[in-house]
Amino acid sequence: MDYSQFLHMREELSLIAVLLLLFLADLFMSPDAHKQKGTTPVLNTMLPVILMAIHTAINLVPGTTADIFGSMYHYVPMHTVVKSILNIGTLIVFLMAHEWMKRDDTSFKQGEFYVLILSTLFGMYLMISAGHFLMFFIGLETASIPMAALIAFDKYRHNSAEAGAKYILTALFSSALLLFGLSMIYGSAGTLYFEDLPAHIDGNPLQIMAFVFFFTGMAFKLSLVPFHLWTADVYEGAPSAVTAYLSVISKGSAAFVLMAILIKVFAPMIHDWQEVLYWVTIASITIANIFAIRQQNLKRLMAFSSISQAGYIMLGIIGGTAQGMTALVYYVLVYAAANLGVFAVITIVALRSQKFTLEDYAGLYKTNPKMAFLMTISLFSLAGIPPFAGFFSKFFIFMAAFEAGFHLLVFIALANTVISLYYYLLIVKAMYITPSDHPIPTFRSDRCTKWGLALCTLGIIGLGIASIVYQSIDKLSFGI
């Protein structure tokens, strides 16, 4: 065996090293390492953050294209870009979780939190670099099962346990459907290698059914309508930091993997899957925006917002072009900065005051003006208002779909941005205009939360100015 093949898996090997170091650190540095009650947790947040920052930094430069382990693992430079985006998002989630990890009911299990997060990230890495459906499915399950544990992390809170149960049950059903679709692909084509499948794909009824089952499983991961019914309950019940991770990192990886597989495997069936994506995109954007208006709980509102954002992401996929891939990756990057910024505010407010509803945020500007301002620019970026980066990400993804010939779809998506702006402005209105006799009290954020918010703000403003980011992604994109 040629062990030099492992050198092409530097992201995975580096992440495994971080996992092992954190596992050992938890063994010796956790509060209950010596069974001493009341011991201040030593591990806390800085070690995971430092290790994650090092891991991200040493894997920023793309390598050369390679097929290893019999083409089970396929690497292209674009994979490094996507994995780096996931790394940065995970780093921000670690910073967001610092205050939560210090609580008495969570400090003793902080090691488990970091290990579970990085385990799901490792699964996403395998999905992204898979060259075979078996490798893809292993990665999918590696990413999904620890996620259920994270959602139910606050197990003594009824909502968290319920959310974990809902997620794992629906994840099992969606995985079963996806696996059934893969078995149909193997039955009709006789192979599961991505590079071999296009020669055997001719769009016969069995393969169309196989695609429907495969897409159903992926649509669950992306929270696309009509496979979205779990989303609001899980987002509300899960800890806020976990909800942020689920809404950004998990969604971003699944979107890229879906596009890559459609391009590599189902290219001969492009007209069939474009028809499916067309109607799913319209349903996801429209229904999610309408239901978001009715929400009073901010985490539920952001759940429907994420469903709508998944619909916008589909605009980059539907053309199957290199331009669409560039727009998708750039959109995920900007979406990560804006959405994590919103959830960072939701997380710290929930920890300090146990406030979650729109009414609770009334008068936030008077007591916490900086927090309200950061929340506002994050929401404006999600809505696509210039000059924030969200405007440019929406422009590029609309342009990709328009140039692929989906003019009506782009018009419908544009009309829906007005609806999304309305419910984002409801939050802004509550913070700045709506009076309150009992506003959220003034508080100071911890240092890690401030760093997380600073990174999100830098992304929201800087990504709209630094055109080199989009151009660099564009050089590495591929399409049908």
Side-chain angles (χ1 to χ4, degrees):
M1 180 178 176
D2 182 11
Y3 291 100
S4 64
Q5 294 180 97
F6 285 103
L7 297 177
H8 295 289
M9 298 180 67
R10 57 178 185 170
E11 288 100 344
E12 286 78 6
L13 294 176
S14 174
L15 186 62
I16 289 173
V18 174
L19 262 168
L20 291 175
L21 287 172
L22 288 179
F23 188 81
L24 290 173
D26 182 52
L27 181 63
F28 295 106
M29 299 168 66
S30 63
D32 57 345
H34 302 288
K35 306 298 180 184
Q36 295 176 357
K37 293 183 179 180
T39 304
T40 303
V42 181
L43 177 59
N44 214 311
T45 306
M46 292 320 298
L47 179 62
V49 167
I50 291 169
L51 290 176
M52 199 64 201
I54 294 171
H55 164 68
T56 304
I58 64 176
N59 292 297
L60 275 177
V61 180
T64 55
T65 301
D67 282 303
I68 59 175
F69 303 117
S71 295
M72 292 278 285
Y73 182 98
H74 176 71
Y75 172 82
V76 294
M78 178 57 83
H79 293 167
T80 294
V81 176
V82 177
K83 290 173 184 177
S84 296
I85 293 171
L86 302 184
N87 291 341
I88 294 169
T90 304
L91 181 64
I92 295 173
V93 170
F94 282 178
L95 292 170
M96 287 169 50
H98 172 72
E99 188 80 4
W100 174 50
M101 284 288 103
K102 289 169 60 179
R103 291 192 329 191
D104 292 338
D105 59 336
T106 53
S107 63
F108 66 92
K109 52 184 179 180
Q110 56 187 312
E112 289 89 334
F113 173 75
Y114 298 121
V115 170
L116 286 170
I117 285 275
L118 296 181
S119 297
T120 66
L121 189 62
F122 181 73
M124 294 171 200
Y125 279 12
L126 295 182
M127 286 171 59
I128 290 168
S129 296
H132 187 281
F133 270 122
L134 179 59
M135 176 73 79
F136 158 77
F137 189 74
I138 291 171
L140 181 71
E141 292 306 296
T142 305
S144 298
I145 296 172
M147 186 64 73
L150 285 166
I151 291 167
F153 205 73
D154 279 344
K155 61 183 179 180
Y156 295 114
R157 287 180 56 235
H158 172 70
N159 290 343
S160 184
E162 179 187 351
K166 287 181 178 178
Y167 180 84
I168 194 63
L169 288 174
T170 49
L172 287 172
F173 288 128
S174 68
S175 295
L177 290 173
L178 188 145
L179 195 57
F180 189 36
L182 298 187
S183 69
M184 289 181 177
I185 292 174
Y186 184 75
S188 63
T191 182
L192 289 176
Y193 281 99
F194 292 172
E195 61 182 15
D196 296 336
L197 277 167
H200 301 279
I201 298 290
D202 55 13
N204 62 55
L206 182 61
Q207 289 174 352
I208 291 175
M209 185 63 70
F211 168 75
V212 170
F213 281 120
F214 165 77
F215 181 75
T216 299
M218 292 304 295
F220 163 80
K221 303 297 179 188
L222 284 160
S223 306
L224 292 170
V225 174
F227 313 103
H228 69 292
L229 298 176
W230 61 276
T231 312
D233 290 341
V234 170
Y235 277 39
E236 182 183 10
S240 298
V242 175
T243 302
Y245 184 82
L246 182 62
S247 69
V248 174
I249 313 303
S250 179
K251 193 181 298 293
S253 62
F256 178 81
V257 170
L258 175 61
M259 183 171 193
I261 291 177
L262 292 179
I263 288 172
K264 294 176 183 177
V265 177
F266 292 103
M269 294 173 57
I270 183 170
H271 297 295
D272 296 307
W273 57 257
Q274 280 181 336
E275 185 74 16
V276 173
L277 282 179
Y278 188 91
W279 295 109
V280 168
T281 301
I282 292 175
S284 298
I285 295 174
T286 307
I287 293 175
N289 280 336
I290 292 171
F291 274 83
I293 295 173
R294 304 175 56 193
Q295 305 305 313
Q296 290 300 311
N297 184 290
L298 274 190
K299 290 173 75 175
R300 293 184 72 88
L301 187 150
M302 294 307 298
F304 284 103
S305 167
S306 75
I307 297 169
S308 172
Q309 297 290 346
Y312 288 117
I313 290 172
M314 292 301 104
L315 294 173
I317 297 176
I318 195 167
T321 61
Q323 183 185 14
M325 178 174 286
T326 305
L328 182 150
V329 175
Y330 183 75
Y331 193 97
V332 169
L333 175 59
V334 173
Y335 171 68
N339 212 52
L340 289 175
V342 172
F343 273 105
V345 175
I346 292 174
T347 300
I348 193 66
V349 169
L351 286 170
R352 297 298 177 87
S353 60
Q354 295 299 311
K355 304 287 188 181
F356 293 98
T357 67
L358 203 58
E359 183 181 343
D360 292 333
Y361 276 68
L364 182 66
Y365 170 71
K366 293 182 179 179
T367 56
N368 296 277
K370 292 180 181 178
M371 200 70 66
F373 175 73
L374 293 175
M375 180 76 139
T376 301
I377 64 172
S378 298
L379 292 169
F380 281 175
S381 184
L382 287 174
I385 295 177
F388 304 110
F391 167 77
F392 299 99
S393 65
K394 275 191 166 58
F395 173 79
F396 289 133
I397 212 156
F398 287 161
M399 185 171 67
F402 190 87
E403 294 196 1
F406 296 94
H407 303 159
L408 179 59
L409 182 60
V410 172
F411 175 78
I412 294 171
L414 278 169
N416 269 279
T417 58
V418 179
I419 304 175
S420 66
L421 177 60
Y422 173 75
Y423 61 77
Y424 289 138
L425 284 176
L426 287 178
I427 305 174
V428 177
K429 175 177 175 288
M431 293 189 297
Y432 285 87
I433 299 174
T434 305
S436 175
D437 295 331
H438 304 286
I440 294 170
T442 302
F443 61 83
R444 293 182 62 86
S445 304
D446 63 278
R447 185 180 301 176
C448 287
T449 301
K450 288 179 180 177
W451 289 350
L453 285 168
L455 287 173
C456 292
T457 306
L458 180 64
I460 292 167
I461 298 173
L463 291 172
I465 300 171
S467 58
I468 190 174
V469 175
Y470 182 86
Q471 293 168 354
S472 300
I473 296 171
D474 189 48
K475 293 177 183 178
L476 304 176
S477 296
F478 56 90
I480 294 175

